[in-house]
Amino acid sequence: MESSWVVGKVCEIFTSVSRIFNSYSMEQSTWVDLPDVVVIELFRFLKDKDRAAAALTCKNWARLFKTPCLWRSRHFEMGGYRAHNNGSRACAFASLFGNYVRYLSISCSHPSYHTTKIFQRAIEDVLGKMRTSKLFEFELERLELERFWKYETPRDKLIACFVRFLKTQKYLKIFDMTAAQCNLDGGCRILQAVGNNSGYKVQDVFIEDFFHSRLAVFQNDRYKSAIYQFTNINYLGINYNCLSDEIIETFSKTLEGKLECMNIKVYRNDPHFHTIGGSQWSILRRKCPKLKVTMWFESIGHSTDIIPVLVKEIPLKDLHIWTGYDDDVEWRLAITIDHIANSYANTLSMLSLELDNNHELVDDNILTLLQKCKKLNQLTLNANVVVSTIRAICLLRSEKKTTLQSLHLTACGLSEQEWTVLCQIKDEFAELIEQQGLDYKFCTDLLIDLGAM
């Protein structure tokens, strides 16, 4: 942030305060005369090192430097090649201001077998110093215990550290441990610690990939006991292998009128062959009328895997499907797209399809879907499509047969001749796109790219 902007902001604040205090004027007052509220506001715009330097000005500024409201939010980067230094700085901050923090975010970027041990020791120290804090938000994304934590001892110590700390937090509203990849026992212990102490307050829960892959978490009684303690959830990010008929039914009772958004990830290596019945989704939808669901399918493309999960009673708003790259597989994608169009014609607003459809065409199915889904506003499509389909989509928009406002399309497998035709389509509909403010972008996987449209 430029110093001139900061000075200008301070002068603006100072002028406002001076109007209140008639004894003050810009001509008579000095920096020493600044009211505490103005100095604190000045500190808000400074980086830590500049704030510390300003605190050396006088005893009063040194006192105001320790004002709790200046230290409510903190992000610790404790990984990378400077993991040791990052950890030391985080520990020093926790000693001075840890009790003031309300919004805590921690990351361990570029983890390795070496830095994980350093991170484990540092995080124990940091969280140990912050046990008397009253956090509203705890965020620690991409810990990836399954991938990078080779040794069980530091991994177990880390889990125990989180459990001890989270048992002291009774005011959490946001809990985010996305991609922690905990084992079943460790993950359940963490959820129990949060649920027992803040479960009645937590509104946003982000636990996608919280457990490591291949676990049928929904069958575990300890997990179910822990997740049921969260009785105030508004947003829930979770994996499909952590849900079941029983869990959805319980949510209908414990989260009635509260749950508004679910982000569900269905991953190839997670158990996903159990079906959550439409009747349970219907009950949840009735009990939580504002509920909107987003679903992500990763490395899953076969219709027999997708369709049983996508029961029509789900209040599906956004859907993302990435098939993966199994070139020899026939996905039967046309059946899947038709199912989506028939089941979510009145709810779907965003659709993303990354399809490895070398063995089948889905052009007609896409066009039918666009006309059936009256609320579809955004479509991202990366697939083998013929050029005429792209022109047909633009015609549907010009004829007001689709509400599609945003289209990001990557046409795979085009020849150079088809590339030339696509350029002509771009020119043909350029005026329509500009006049209606459409976000339409076409490209191809050819080495010569079309550019943005």
Side-chain angles (χ1 to χ4, degrees):
M1 186 175 297
E2 296 182 359
S3 59
S4 59
W5 185 91
V6 175
V7 172
K9 188 69 176 179
V10 172
C11 290
E12 178 184 331
I13 297 169
F14 184 77
T15 301
S16 300
V17 174
S18 296
R19 291 170 182 166
I20 300 175
F21 299 97
N22 294 327
S23 60
Y24 283 42
S25 70
M26 291 300 291
E27 293 78 12
Q28 298 172 348
S29 301
T30 65
W31 287 93
V32 177
D33 300 316
L34 284 174
D36 289 356
V37 65
V38 176
V39 178
I40 292 172
E41 193 66 20
L42 167 62
F43 279 160
R44 287 181 186 275
F45 295 103
L46 300 179
K47 297 180 180 178
D48 285 357
K49 63 178 182 179
D50 297 326
R51 196 181 289 178
L56 300 175
T57 304
C58 61
K59 291 182 178 180
N60 186 47
W61 283 31
R63 175 181 63 85
L64 296 176
F65 174 73
K66 298 180 181 179
T67 303
C69 67
L70 295 174
W71 311 103
R72 293 305 191 199
S73 180
R74 182 58 36 169
H75 172 76
F76 294 137
E77 169 53 68
M78 300 177 65
Y81 69 96
R82 302 183 65 182
H84 187 272
N85 291 337
N86 291 339
S88 298
R89 284 197 296 268
C91 292
F93 177 91
S95 297
L96 292 173
F97 307 112
N99 291 340
Y100 301 153
V101 177
R102 296 293 178 266
Y103 303 90
L104 177 62
S105 171
I106 302 172
S107 59
C108 180
S109 61
H110 309 294
S112 66
Y113 295 140
H114 172 66
T115 59
T116 51
K117 291 183 179 180
I118 298 174
F119 175 82
Q120 175 254 316
R121 297 189 191 102
I123 201 68
E124 282 189 358
D125 196 0
V126 169
L127 296 185
K129 297 177 186 300
M130 295 183 63
R131 286 186 189 176
T132 57
S133 63
K134 298 178 181 178
L135 294 184
F136 298 151
E137 177 178 354
F138 178 79
E139 175 186 327
L140 200 168
E141 291 190 3
R142 308 209 66 81
L143 192 58
E144 298 185 275
L145 292 174
E146 180 184 22
R147 182 178 180 185
F148 293 107
W149 294 71
K150 179 179 179 180
Y151 304 103
E152 291 186 7
T153 299
R155 186 169 58 215
D156 293 342
K157 288 183 177 179
L158 189 66
I159 294 293
C161 168
F162 291 142
V163 172
R164 286 194 303 270
F165 175 73
L166 292 169
K167 284 181 177 180
T168 67
Q169 302 303 308
K170 302 182 183 301
Y171 303 96
L172 283 177
K173 295 182 179 180
I174 301 173
F175 175 72
D176 185 352
M177 286 192 69
T178 301
Q181 297 179 355
C182 299
N183 60 32
L184 188 56
D185 176 71
C188 289
R189 288 170 60 199
I190 291 174
L191 289 180
Q192 284 177 327
V194 179
N196 285 336
N197 296 278
S198 295
Y200 68 103
K201 282 186 172 292
V202 176
Q203 296 176 341
D204 297 341
V205 178
F206 299 82
I207 51 173
E208 298 102 326
D209 297 333
F210 177 71
F211 294 96
H212 69 66
S213 59
R214 301 177 299 278
L215 293 176
V217 181
F218 67 93
Q219 296 177 341
N220 185 269
D221 290 336
R222 190 175 181 184
Y223 161 75
K224 289 186 283 187
S225 175
I227 201 68
Y228 293 162
Q229 294 176 1
F230 293 83
T231 57
N232 196 40
I233 299 177
N234 177 267
Y235 174 94
L236 176 61
I238 197 168
N239 290 62
Y240 190 76
N241 64 320
C242 296
L243 297 173
S244 66
D245 277 333
E246 178 186 345
I247 293 171
I248 293 295
E249 180 181 4
T250 303
F251 284 168
S252 301
K253 301 172 183 176
T254 59
L255 302 177
E256 182 175 357
K258 299 174 184 176
L259 187 60
E260 296 185 6
C261 183
M262 291 183 72
N263 193 323
I264 303 173
K265 178 179 177 181
V266 190
Y267 181 52
R268 180 177 188 169
N269 291 335
D270 290 339
H272 57 271
F273 298 106
H274 63 292
T275 300
I276 300 175
S279 59
Q280 300 304 329
W281 281 112
S282 294
I283 295 172
L284 181 62
R285 190 175 186 173
R286 186 169 64 252
K287 295 291 186 178
C288 301
K290 296 182 179 180
L291 177 62
K292 304 297 181 184
V293 175
T294 297
M295 298 199 75
W296 300 75
F297 289 84
E298 292 195 10
S299 296
I300 298 176
H302 204 284
S303 61
T304 56
D305 293 339
I306 296 176
I307 291 177
V309 174
L310 291 178
V311 295
K312 64 180 181 179
E313 289 81 4
I314 299 175
L316 190 68
K317 181 181 179 182
D318 301 340
L319 176 61
H320 308 262
I321 298 177
W322 175 52
T323 61
Y325 301 109
D326 292 341
D327 291 336
D328 296 329
V329 175
E330 293 187 11
W331 304 111
R332 302 177 69 192
L333 293 167
I335 298 176
T336 299
I337 294 172
D338 288 344
H339 174 78
I340 294 169
N342 294 328
S343 300
Y344 307 112
N346 298 317
T347 62
L348 192 65
S349 67
M350 181 185 296
L351 178 62
S352 175
L353 300 173
E354 296 184 56
L355 311 177
D356 182 27
N357 60 322
N358 294 324
H359 301 287
E360 59 179 315
L361 295 177
V362 294
D363 300 71
D364 292 341
N365 309 88
I366 292 291
L367 294 174
T368 300
L369 180 143
L370 289 175
Q371 296 177 78
K372 283 189 175 182
C373 295
K374 301 301 182 182
K375 294 185 178 181
L376 187 63
N377 186 56
Q378 299 181 47
L379 172 63
T380 300
L381 180 61
N382 186 330
N384 286 289
V385 295
V386 296
V387 177
S388 59
T389 299
I390 301 173
R391 186 175 188 276
I393 293 174
C394 294
L395 283 173
L396 287 177
R397 177 65 199 194
S398 66
E399 296 169 359
K400 298 182 179 180
K401 294 181 179 180
T402 178
T403 58
L404 197 64
Q405 186 70 22
S406 175
L407 173 63
H408 292 185
L409 191 150
T410 300
C412 301
L414 296 186
S415 65
E416 290 190 18
Q417 182 179 1
E418 290 171 322
W419 176 83
T420 302
V421 175
L422 189 52
C423 289
Q424 295 171 353
I425 294 174
K426 171 184 175 180
D427 295 335
E428 180 182 356
F429 292 96
E431 183 177 354
L432 170 72
I433 292 171
E434 182 178 358
Q435 287 180 348
Q436 297 190 11
L438 302 178
D439 179 22
Y440 279 25
K441 297 179 180 178
F442 303 148
C443 64
T444 175
D445 59 352
L446 285 173
L447 293 178
I448 302 176
D449 199 282
L450 289 175
M453 178 174 179

